[in-house]
Amino acid sequence: MERSAILAELPRLRRYARALVGDRAAADDLVQDTLERAWSRLAQWRAGSDLRAWLFSIMHNLRVDQLRRPGLSTVAIDDEECQAPSRATQSDRLEVGDLEAALGQLPEEQRAVLLLVALEDMSYEEIAGALAIPLGTVMSRLSRGRERLRQILAGRSSSSILRVVR
């Protein structure tokens, strides 16, 4: 495999990591860890298989490891924030902020699947392979994530949709 094939996936890896983690520095660290792991395990990649799915699988597993491991509380010293491209209207910027906040409220499993579908345009099969979960689990997490996102953006809490059955 050529180095250029992995480097061609960098923009997608960075975009997904940024959306998944929410912090630019932490996302860059996750991408770097992913690339380091990929280079060290290059012999495990099966020629002819989907390189993008393999890299996303590595990234997903590293992210799961990060969440399981207790981390140190840190404060960013870099005040410069990465600004997402947006149209000139103030309401658009607010909507993007609302969407980012709503995505942050989703469970990690739902957010990962939702971002892979929406941001990376991956098929359900590719996602199932990358996250090492069954296809049905991908579809249910996506469905629940979309519904929860709609509720959050509509201003409804999760408790408002639960019914008491007696």
Side-chain angles (χ1 to χ4, degrees):
M1 174 191 356
E2 290 186 22
R3 176 180 155 204
S4 61
I6 290 179
L7 293 178
E9 297 299 329
L10 271 177
R12 289 179 171 168
L13 290 170
R14 290 191 79 216
R15 181 176 55 226
Y16 178 61
R18 171 78 169 138
L20 186 64
V21 177
D23 176 60
R24 187 183 74 205
D28 287 343
D29 289 345
L30 182 58
V31 170
Q32 181 176 345
D33 292 345
T34 300
L35 293 175
E36 180 183 7
R37 175 92 36 108
W39 282 118
S40 69
R41 291 176 172 75
L42 198 55
Q44 294 176 358
W45 181 69
R46 288 177 277 144
S49 64
D50 188 0
L51 177 64
R52 179 175 64 155
W54 183 66
L55 291 170
F56 276 95
S57 179
I58 292 171
M59 181 179 283
H60 171 74
N61 291 334
L62 286 170
R63 179 65 179 151
V64 168
D65 290 345
Q66 287 176 351
L67 293 173
R68 288 182 181 154
R69 187 174 349 130
L72 296 174
S73 177
T74 60
V75 176
I77 57 173
D78 183 12
D79 291 337
E80 180 185 328
E81 284 294 320
C82 178
Q83 297 296 322
S86 61
R87 295 183 306 213
T89 66
Q90 186 174 7
S91 65
D92 288 341
R93 187 175 185 151
L94 292 173
E95 288 173 8
V96 169
D98 289 346
L99 180 59
E100 186 176 6
L103 282 169
Q105 293 179 39
L106 291 177
E108 183 79 20
E109 303 84 27
Q110 292 174 5
R111 183 171 57 248
V113 171
L114 191 62
L115 290 172
L116 288 173
V117 167
L119 260 174
E120 298 306 322
D121 199 30
M122 291 177 76
S123 70
Y124 295 171
E125 292 82 12
E126 290 172 323
I127 296 169
L131 302 182
I133 57 177
L135 184 63
T137 303
V138 170
M139 294 188 302
S140 71
R141 286 181 183 177
L142 180 61
S143 175
R144 285 182 282 143
R146 284 176 173 163
E147 181 57 33
R148 180 69 185 123
L149 194 59
R150 279 187 208 102
Q151 292 169 357
I152 292 169
L153 291 173
R156 292 182 283 176
S157 67
S158 60
S159 61
S160 67
I161 62 163
L162 298 177
R163 297 183 198 149
V164 177
V165 179
R166 296 180 190 220

